[in-house]
Amino acid sequence: MKGLSALFKSLLSSFRDLLPIIVVIAFFQLLVLQEPLPNIVSIVMGLVLVVLGLTFFIYGLEMGLFPIGESMAQTFARKGSVFWLLVFAFCLGFGTTVAEPALTAVANEAAEVAAEGGVITNSMETRDDYANGLRYTVALSVGVAILIGVLRILKGWPIQYMIIGGYIGVVVLTGFAPSHIIGIAYDSGGVTTSTITVPLVTALGVGLASAIKGRNPMLDGFGLIAFASLLPMMFVMIYGMVLG
């Protein structure tokens, strides 16, 4: 019964989260454009599915991904195995990013546009190679980013200076990277921080900071996502420079 009650509360919470979007769309469609909603039955069914999907996704995160991420980070910290902790951080960043649907969509779209623009040969094999190259470059960058973020938590390095230095690197690389890769690189920083990566990486940071003496989870546990957004921009621009 407690589980059903929690699930019902999650359903209501998801509906409240989506309600402003529903109100905005209905306002502009009915009052500003003064047009009826097309396929009202399909729209209502779609909204129901969105509410259910969002509810189960958040509920699943709270039940599974957050606890396992925090517990693994705390176990690594207790055992004092820095090497395996860093290996785990890299693999977590790499694996979750490769699985990101948003990254796959952006990489495929970038390959299509690059082929149409004559940047690469317009063939299925070349487009797949280009898209996969982007995906694995971004995944590699996120793995390195999470590794650096974990080192920051372990060493207590100030995050602001690291972020400032990173963005200086982004600006410098922008001046040398091919023009056709710059927009893709900047977008790559956003698509990495999506539905799969964010929960696990956040749980890793908070769990690690909670387990280390002298670290504050609020101050030191967050910030990994910033690195996961920053490094892909640099790596993708380097990827474009290597391809020419």
Side-chain angles (χ1 to χ4, degrees):
M1 289 300 294
K2 288 183 179 180
L4 289 174
S5 176
L7 183 60
F8 181 72
K9 289 180 180 178
S10 296
L11 277 169
L12 290 178
S13 177
S14 297
F15 180 75
R16 284 198 304 268
D17 292 340
L18 288 172
L19 189 59
I21 302 174
I22 297 171
V23 170
V24 168
I25 292 174
F27 173 80
F28 280 93
Q29 182 73 22
L30 300 176
L31 298 181
V32 177
L33 298 177
Q34 296 184 351
E35 294 283 342
L37 288 170
N39 302 320
I40 186 67
V41 175
S42 297
I43 291 175
V44 171
M45 288 181 63
L47 286 173
V48 171
L49 291 174
V50 169
V51 171
L52 289 173
L54 184 61
T55 300
F56 285 120
F57 176 71
I58 295 174
Y59 198 61
L61 290 180
E62 293 175 350
M63 286 182 62
L65 293 186
F66 274 121
I68 191 63
E70 289 187 17
S71 66
M72 289 186 73
Q74 291 169 359
T75 302
F76 275 118
R78 283 198 305 270
K79 291 189 174 182
S81 179
V82 175
F83 172 77
W84 286 112
L85 174 61
L86 295 178
V87 171
F88 171 68
F90 175 83
C91 292
L92 181 68
F94 184 90
T96 54
T97 305
V98 167
E100 278 292 353
L103 176 60
T104 301
V106 168
N108 290 337
E109 187 66 24
E112 292 283 346
V113 174
E116 292 173 2
V119 177
I120 60 174
T121 306
N122 194 357
S123 67
M124 179 70 73
E125 184 179 355
T126 306
R127 290 197 303 269
D128 287 344
D129 289 343
Y130 188 84
N132 288 331
L134 276 176
R135 284 180 63 211
Y136 288 114
T137 298
V138 174
L140 177 65
S141 69
V142 175
V144 173
I146 303 307
L147 188 151
I148 293 173
V150 167
L151 272 176
R152 180 193 73 83
I153 296 173
L154 294 174
K155 301 293 185 181
W157 295 334
I159 190 173
Q160 62 270 28
Y161 300 121
M162 299 178 72
I163 296 296
I164 290 170
Y167 276 107
I168 290 173
V170 169
V171 172
V172 171
L173 284 171
T174 302
F176 295 94
S179 57
H180 66 268
I181 204 71
I182 293 174
I184 298 171
Y186 276 60
D187 283 348
S188 297
V191 296
T192 56
T193 52
S194 190
T195 53
I196 299 176
T197 307
V198 170
L200 282 170
V201 171
T202 303
L204 171 66
V206 173
L208 186 60
S210 302
I212 298 176
K213 186 177 180 180
R215 296 290 179 266
N216 186 330
M218 283 299 296
L219 298 178
D220 302 301
F222 295 91
L224 292 178
I225 303 302
F227 291 110
S229 299
L230 177 59
L231 260 68
M233 292 187 276
M234 302 173 69
F235 274 56
V236 171
M237 282 191 277
I238 295 171
Y239 173 75
M241 292 164 66
V242 170
L243 289 182

